[in-house]
Amino acid sequence: MPQPARIPVSVGLPLALASGVAIPAQSRINGALGVALDDSLAAALVSFGTGLAVMILVTAVFPRGRAGFGQILPALRERRFPRIYILAGVIGAWFVLTQTLTIAVLGVAVFTVATVAGQTLTGLVVDRMGIGPGGKKTLTIMRVVGAVLTIAAVAWAVSPKLSGSGGGADWLLTVLLPLSAGMAMSFQQAMNGTTGMHYGTPITATLMNFVSGFTALLVVWLVKVAVSGFGNPLPDTWWYYLGGVMGCVFIGVSAMLVKTLGVLLTSLGLIGGQLVGSLLLDLFLPAPGSVVVAATVLGTALTLVAIVVATLPWNMPGFRPWARRRNG
């Protein structure tokens, strides 16, 4: 079988950056939809519904999607992975729900910093536990340093809001929502990597994410409707319905680039796109009540530096501070 053409770094990294921007764009779209509907649950449900529709279409059109779909029941019957892994989409549902709940208050930049921080922190635990298909990974000094730097970056980025007059405690609680979503996403990625490996394609893992996430949100939304009724009717603004599509783009492009660029370059490009995109949105298309000050910009930059540090090996060439030099 011929090998797929490799994507040069000069093309792949800009593509990773561009696809990374899809996440803060999704955050802004879902946040705006939540405000328009006056119903955060309904906005998250719409986002997952559009994403599910896209993945059903992709599964039906592409042969690998159809083949992977045929592996779902055999994989569950044969217990190729813990069955709870098919509920990974519930984590994605929580992530989207936190978008609709907090974007209007936090702004996209702080939301992104908080979620990236959560991913970095629990990424250490997930790698150490060996939940993903790559097995256990060593807990290096560099990764610990990167996690500590990330905590400092988040505190710095949100400090202007926390130190403002009034609402400090409310702000802290609000920041904890995307932080918790980011922490859960590391487990979701490990679960998706494992299920995708056994399905034979990430298309099916993505499809099942949208199925379980949509189902969970639908159940909760129906309970909410029974208690407090419906929110506003669906708005006519067409771009409010692109949130789920953005999620599909992010997952699909990252899966494609990992094969040729490797995990390190792809991850840095995607995360860089999220951080840069979130700042650009808050600078040029700010949400009501959001603010970008020096601490937000520098805290975001420090988060990116921390992520780079966390990916560096402790024993990289020339970095052995304790090793004695021989012969002088």
Side-chain angles (χ1 to χ4, degrees), residues 2 7 9 12 22 60 73 96 100 105 126 137 141 196 200 216 229-230 238 257 267-268 275 283 289 304:
I7 301 174
V9 174
L73 289 180
V96 172
T100 63
V105 179
V126 170
K137 295 183 180 179
I141 297 296
F230 293 93
W238 63 270
L257 292 179
S267 298
L268 291 180
L275 296 174
L283 285 171
L304 184 57

Side-chain angles (χ1 to χ4, degrees), residues 230-282:
F230 293 93
N232 297 330
L234 291 173
D236 296 330
T237 307
W238 63 270
W239 57 267
Y240 282 176
Y241 305 98
L242 296 179
V245 179
M246 294 291 182
C248 295
V249 169
F250 179 84
I251 295 171
V253 172
S254 61
M256 176 184 67
L257 292 179
V258 164
K259 297 179 181 179
T260 53
L261 293 184
V263 175
L264 176 60
L265 285 178
T266 301
S267 298
L268 291 180
L270 293 172
I271 292 173
Q274 292 181 58
L275 296 174
V276 172
S278 64
L279 275 177
L280 290 176
L281 281 173
D282 274 354

Side-chain angles (χ1 to χ4, degrees), residues 63-104:
R64 289 187 62 189
R66 296 194 296 271
F69 185 80
Q71 289 297 311
I72 295 175
L73 289 180
L76 292 175
R77 258 195 322 264
E78 298 167 12
R79 297 183 181 272
R80 300 176 189 173
F81 50 79
R83 290 181 176 177
I84 196 172
Y85 282 18
I86 65 172
L87 299 180
V90 175
I91 296 174
W94 172 240
F95 176 81
V96 172
L97 183 58
T98 61
Q99 288 177 333
T100 63
L101 287 170
T102 65
I103 285 295

Side-chain angles (χ1 to χ4, degrees), residues 170-297:
D170 292 341
W171 250 85
L172 178 60
L173 291 175
T174 304
V175 170
L176 289 177
L177 291 178
L179 182 66
S180 69
M183 293 174 71
M185 283 179 67
S186 294
F187 291 92
Q188 182 194 33
Q189 290 167 357
M191 294 159 74
N192 286 341
T194 300
T195 57
M197 178 181 67
H198 289 289
Y199 295 143
T201 173
I203 294 176
T204 308
T206 306
L207 172 68
M208 295 305 294
N209 264 247
F210 279 101
V211 169
S212 60
F214 179 81
T215 303
L217 287 170
L218 180 61
V219 170
V220 177
W221 180 74
L222 289 174
V223 172
K224 180 262 178 190
V225 168
V227 172
S228 58
F230 293 93
N232 297 330
L234 291 173
D236 296 330
T237 307
W238 63 270
W239 57 267
Y240 282 176
Y241 305 98
L242 296 179
V245 179
M246 294 291 182
C248 295
V249 169
F250 179 84
I251 295 171
V253 172
S254 61
M256 176 184 67
L257 292 179
V258 164
K259 297 179 181 179
T260 53
L261 293 184
V263 175
L264 176 60
L265 285 178
T266 301
S267 298
L268 291 180
L270 293 172
I271 292 173
Q274 292 181 58
L275 296 174
V276 172
S278 64
L279 275 177
L280 290 176
L281 281 173
D282 274 354
L283 285 171
F284 298 107
L285 294 171
S290 65
V291 61
V292 176
V293 295
T296 303
V297 176

Side-chain angles (χ1 to χ4, degrees), residues 116-132 134-152 186-187 189-190 263-264 267-268 271 302-316 319:
V116 170
Q119 287 179 269
T120 304
L121 293 174
T122 53
L124 297 172
V125 178
V126 170
D127 279 348
R128 184 58 181 166
M129 293 175 63
I131 296 176
K136 293 184 179 181
K137 295 183 180 179
T138 304
L139 190 63
T140 65
I141 297 296
M142 283 298 191
R143 300 202 75 195
V144 175
V145 171
V148 173
L149 281 176
T150 303
I151 297 173
S186 294
F187 291 92
Q189 290 167 357
V263 175
L264 176 60
S267 298
L268 291 180
I271 292 173
L302 181 57
T303 302
L304 184 57
V305 171
I307 293 167
V308 174
V309 170
T311 61
L312 296 176
W314 175 252
N315 61 342
M316 59 185 176
F319 192 77

